[in-house]
Amino acid sequence: MTLEGARMFHRTYLHHDPIAISYLFGCAGQGQAAVIDPVLPPQHYLDEAAALGVTITYVIDTHLHADHLSTARDLAHRSGAAYVLHRSAQTAFPFHPVDDGEVLTLGNVTVQALHTPGHTPEHLTLLVTDHRRAEEPWLAFTGHTLMVGDLGRTELASDPEEGARALYRTAKRLKGLPDHLQIYPGAFSGSVCGRTLSGNPSSTIGFERRYNTALAITDEEAFVAMMLQDIPPRPVDFEVTRALNSGYATVSAS
């Protein structure tokens, strides 16, 4: 069943092995869509898009993951979509680079890229506006930066303290977003990318500003000290996984 004549659509997919969240969204009226942080085989997203009567225009990884293999490049290749990362991403393959503040267009829906480093140096947050409803964003895909109940760990792709200081600056920026803005992160409880993650897969900036302990810290040194304590166990083979997602390693045939 298609969504012809409708406004923006938004589909959320919760994954439990690995623990992650991916998204399909876009403009039904103009038939354009994007996929965020895909985990499932590409055919899943292709089938979902076909059922909605839309074409996948962009496939976006919020960052180069270290806890699971991304299917983004494969999906982009099979769909003919552009594969999007922040310009600073270090990869062995070409991609569609975006800068801080750059806007991607999906019909009546726009996606503004914010560079939000800390969890990884190249991390993106994506602000989404449905222009048929309002001229301001109503949701943000926050990846592993701001999650429900916590902020992402900082030592999987950079020096832990450098990552924590970058995340502190990112957190200050995100706290400046409107209270009503809905957030859709890339993980939920059970993920090793945060400490006190909620099982609830979505929230708002206002709720997290009030009840997210890490986000509430206003002193940089206290924030860094907190991020360097009680670091969760690292994902198995996280360096290999990130190298695979970056194209610097390949999956061996078994």
Side-chain angles (χ1 to χ4, degrees):
M1 179 179 180
T2 65
L3 296 175
E4 184 177 356
R7 296 173 177 173
M8 176 181 168
F9 67 91
H10 175 207
R11 299 289 183 269
T12 298
Y13 309 102
L14 302 181
H15 313 294
H16 296 274
D17 186 19
I19 295 173
I21 312 176
S22 61
Y23 302 94
L24 170 69
F25 74 99
C27 174
Q30 299 294 323
Q32 297 182 43
V35 177
I36 307 291
D37 290 334
V39 174
L40 296 171
Q43 194 60 47
H44 169 82
Y45 304 100
L46 294 170
D47 290 344
E48 292 281 286
L52 294 169
V54 299
T55 299
I56 298 173
T57 304
Y58 296 107
V59 180
I60 308 171
D61 267 335
T62 55
H63 61 294
L64 295 167
H65 300 274
D67 61 325
H68 66 267
L69 291 177
S70 167
T71 59
R73 278 190 291 153
D74 192 10
L75 175 59
H77 175 74
R78 293 183 57 182
S79 64
Y83 175 44
V84 178
L85 290 166
H86 184 259
R87 183 175 298 278
S88 64
Q90 300 295 308
T91 70
F93 51 79
F95 58 89
H96 181 92
V98 292
D99 292 307
D100 184 71
E102 187 167 338
V103 175
L104 303 174
T105 300
L106 298 165
N108 295 315
V109 174
T110 57
V111 183
Q112 183 181 19
L114 300 183
H115 185 209
T116 50
H119 176 64
T120 69
E122 75 286 343
H123 201 290
L124 286 171
T125 290
L126 304 160
L127 299 182
V128 178
T129 300
D130 177 1
H131 291 275
R132 292 192 61 184
R133 296 193 63 201
E135 293 303 312
E136 62 178 312
W138 70 272
L139 73 83
F141 295 111
T142 54
H144 289 174
T145 292
L146 173 57
M147 295 175 283
V148 183
D150 203 359
L151 296 169
R153 62 195 298 163
T154 64
E155 87 298 342
L156 295 182
S158 62
D159 173 80
E161 182 174 340
E162 289 179 4
R165 294 191 185 279
L167 187 61
Y168 177 77
R169 295 188 292 272
T170 284
K172 286 184 66 176
R173 185 180 190 187
L174 294 179
K175 282 191 286 189
L177 295 171
D179 278 357
H180 67 265
L181 195 75
Q182 296 181 40
I183 65 165
Y184 290 89
F188 55 101
S189 60
S191 170
V192 296
C193 289
R195 298 167 175 78
T196 57
L197 299 183
S198 171
N200 184 352
S202 66
S203 186
T204 65
I205 290 290
F207 194 89
E208 293 308 303
R209 186 188 295 113
R210 185 168 182 177
Y211 294 110
N212 186 316
T213 301
L215 190 65
I217 298 175
T218 57
D219 178 78
E220 182 171 352
E221 297 308 318
F223 180 87
V224 171
M226 184 276 297
M227 292 303 299
L228 298 183
Q229 293 175 354
D230 301 323
I231 296 174
R234 290 179 170 182
V236 176
D237 296 328
F238 73 96
E239 292 173 312
V240 173
T241 301
R242 187 167 160 89
L244 288 167
N245 286 329
S246 304
Y248 290 113
T250 57
V251 179
S252 300
S254 56

